[in-house]
Amino acid sequence: MTGLSRKPKQTIKGERTVFTGKQSYSFPPEDVFPMLCPVREYEYIPGWECNIVYLDSGLAEQGGVFTTHSHGEGGQRDVWVISRYDANRSIEFVRVNGMRSMVYRIELQGTESGGTVVTWEQVITGLTEEGNHHVQTLKQSDFTAMLSHMQELLQHYLATGEAVNL
């Protein structure tokens, strides 16, 4: 019974913040959803770079893994796992590096006019003192601006078939 009395060590209490936002597209979920993929993002996000670790199908799928580098966090390598995949309805990414974890929950809803509303939730948790400090500096306004920029890029791509020239 000694195993039951053991408790995990807590060396740090992680700071957490949650951001939410919405995007509207004039295209149906069947057009928008496939673009929420680390491979397809090359088509419309200038400067996007990732390394695919595992995508059995070659595109976003449940259990897929890829990596990126966080330019704003000292160039740390982020590991991304696609933790939920429900085609044309929702996708969830868990993104972790040495100082913080992030969960992106993305839900798509078709509209009566044939468009899509995309609801985002981003949950960021510090894993270290440095990570906690980073989490405390994050702002909803920056997340909102990122979503707005991404919406511009994707809406343009879906309308024209070409990436925006920046």
Side-chain angles (χ1 to χ4, degrees):
M1 290 285 187
T2 59
L4 296 177
S5 64
R6 292 181 13 171
K7 294 183 182 178
K9 294 179 183 177
Q10 184 171 356
T11 59
I12 183 171
K13 176 163 178 14
E15 293 288 326
R16 176 171 281 178
T17 192
V18 178
F19 299 127
T20 59
K22 288 192 185 281
Q23 297 172 320
S24 295
Y25 293 94
S26 56
F27 295 88
E30 298 78 32
D31 292 347
V32 176
F33 183 83
M35 305 311 294
L36 302 174
C37 165
V39 175
R40 300 292 308 270
E41 287 183 352
Y42 277 98
E43 296 175 35
Y44 67 97
I45 300 178
W48 170 250
E49 291 183 17
C50 72
N51 293 306
I52 302 301
V53 175
Y54 183 85
L55 290 176
D56 192 45
S57 68
L59 297 172
E61 62 191 18
Q62 180 81 33
V65 179
F66 61 100
T67 63
T68 59
H69 280 86
S70 299
H71 301 291
E73 297 173 10
Q76 291 204 36
R77 186 179 96 154
D78 284 310
V79 176
W80 299 65
V81 177
I82 302 172
S83 57
R84 183 174 54 161
Y85 184 91
D86 184 5
N88 302 324
R89 294 175 188 228
S90 66
I91 190 166
E92 180 176 279
F93 299 91
V94 176
R95 177 182 177 189
V96 179
N97 66 27
M99 61 183 233
R100 56 98 187 103
S101 70
M102 303 171 104
V103 177
Y104 293 93
R105 291 184 185 103
I106 308 165
E107 304 283 335
L108 290 81
Q109 182 69 46
T111 65
E112 288 184 17
S113 63
T116 303
V117 173
V118 181
T119 303
W120 288 73
E121 179 183 63
Q122 182 186 54
V123 180
I124 308 122
T125 306
L127 302 175
T128 64
E129 289 299 333
E130 179 185 16
N132 281 344
H133 175 71
H134 175 72
V135 168
Q136 292 169 352
T137 66
L138 299 174
K139 299 178 189 143
Q140 173 70 45
S141 60
D142 293 333
F143 182 70
T144 301
M146 182 273 296
L147 288 183
S148 178
H149 181 64
M150 184 179 168
Q151 179 179 338
E152 278 180 45
L153 296 174
L154 182 51
Q155 184 71 26
H156 176 82
Y157 179 80
L158 291 172
T160 68
E162 296 180 8
V164 172
N165 278 331
L166 296 178

